[in-house]
Amino acid sequence: MTIVARVRDAMDTNVVMVDASAKVIDVLNAMLEKKVWSVVVEKEGLPVGVITERDILRRCIAKKLLTDVCTAEEIMSSP
């Protein structure tokens, strides 16, 4: 028996986008509201990076950076 799966069958079409200038606290709130663990960061309408919950923990919280001062662009993974 062969099982055939297509990418479109597994992919999620509900991609959450945040602006690169968004504060990390706003990114985290968007993630909680939309019930996702990652978001795509956009700048001038183009995707420039991604942020996961782990990025927030390692690149912001663990370094004791303020989530209401630090921006998405500062902690995103790119390209």
Side-chain angles (χ1 to χ4, degrees):
M1 174 191 236
T2 302
I3 297 174
V4 177
R6 296 183 182 136
V7 172
R8 73 172 173 240
D9 296 333
M11 68 184 221
D12 189 351
T13 58
N14 294 324
V15 177
V16 179
M17 306 281 281
V18 297
D19 191 78
S21 63
K23 302 298 181 197
V24 172
I25 190 67
D26 297 325
V27 173
L28 186 54
N29 285 330
M31 293 167 91
L32 292 170
E33 180 183 314
K34 301 293 185 178
K35 298 178 180 167
V36 297
W37 58 272
S38 64
V39 295
V40 175
V41 181
E42 67 179 341
K43 190 172 189 177
E44 298 177 9
L46 297 173
V48 293
V50 66
I51 295 177
T52 66
E53 290 175 343
R54 186 177 177 135
D55 291 327
I56 293 173
L57 288 171
R58 290 181 152 207
R59 297 179 181 166
C60 191
I61 306 296
K63 293 182 179 180
K64 299 182 181 176
L65 300 176
L66 300 174
T67 58
D68 58 342
V69 175
C70 192
T71 65
E73 190 168 28
E74 293 175 277
I75 68 162
M76 69 182 186
S77 297
S78 175

